[in-house]
Amino acid sequence: MNSSSPSLGQSVKPAPYVQPSPPAALMRTDGTFLIMDATPAAARLLGYADARDLIGMGLPAFFVHAADFAAFQAKLSSQPLASEPNLTSTQQIDALLIDRQGDPFPVHFVAQTQRTADGELVGMQTRLVDLSVQQAQLEQLYASDLQLRLLMEKTQSIIFNIDTTTNRITALNPAFETITGWARSEWIGKSFTPLVHPDDLTLALTIV
């Protein structure tokens, strides 16, 4: 029996769970930006059930704004000439694409280009990162922040923000001035501890 094998009754620590990465949305184009190959994830992102339907289509057709593709081309053209044939380089850009149903969505392009020694573009592999989820999260965060600001302005109770590393006050609502008679500017940037009753200070510090 292998001495390294766990004996009966011996607990075996399970392997940590690793969240699988989503399939990559990749496309390969030729020197004229015609799509030569694509992964199923790229096809789904663009609204196609079969990646083979993308073959032969021009990449510029998926850009909502022609100026975005022109800027992308300009970035590619600004790359220094390759010192060796088939040298690769990488460029990145954010753009708004349009899927098969006509719905626009933001993406982040990571394009690895392949050029000849004369600088001629012969091919490109592009990874498309859908930014829709990040954008929705930012919009939700903005809405939550706006609601908090409105609450701070309208409530009759004191609401404040504290930097937990320094215990300094970073924000106070108007109710602070109404209730205490002090101007908010007098306390912003100062420690909140003088505002707490000595009997409650220990508890307040543990909460912060």
Side-chain angles (χ1 to χ4, degrees), residues 3 14 23 28 30 40 42 65 80 82-83 102 122 137 177 182 184 190:
S3 60
R28 183 170 58 88
D30 65 9
H65 304 296
S83 57
V122 295
Q137 291 174 339
E177 297 181 343
W182 286 315
R184 285 178 286 175
K190 294 182 179 179

Side-chain angles (χ1 to χ4, degrees), residues 3 6 24 30 32 38 50 53 57 84 90 104 115 125 143 184 193:
S3 60
D30 65 9
T32 63
D50 194 331
D53 292 338
M57 299 182 69
E84 299 177 7
T90 302
R115 294 176 176 275
Q125 178 167 296
R184 285 178 286 175
T193 54

Side-chain angles (χ1 to χ4, degrees), residues 60 63-71:
F63 280 73
V64 172
H65 304 296
D68 285 347
F69 184 74

Side-chain angles (χ1 to χ4, degrees), residues 172-174 176-178 180-188 190:
L172 285 165
N173 67 330
F176 175 83
E177 297 181 343
T178 303
T180 67
W182 286 315
R184 285 178 286 175
S185 58
E186 295 180 38
W187 286 94
I188 298 296
K190 294 182 179 179

Side-chain angles (χ1 to χ4, degrees), residues 142-161:
Y142 174 77
S144 299
D145 181 66
L146 181 60
Q147 290 177 349
L148 177 59
R149 289 178 181 275
L150 291 175
L151 174 63
M152 290 185 68
E153 292 297 321
K154 300 298 183 181
T155 185
Q156 300 302 310
S157 301
I158 295 177
I159 298 179
F160 53 89
N161 290 338

Side-chain angles (χ1 to χ4, degrees), residues 112-129:
Q112 186 178 60
T113 60
Q114 187 175 31
R115 294 176 176 275
T116 66
D118 296 329
E120 180 184 359
L121 180 66
V122 295
M124 181 174 68
Q125 178 167 296
T126 303
R127 179 186 178 94
L128 305 177
V129 181

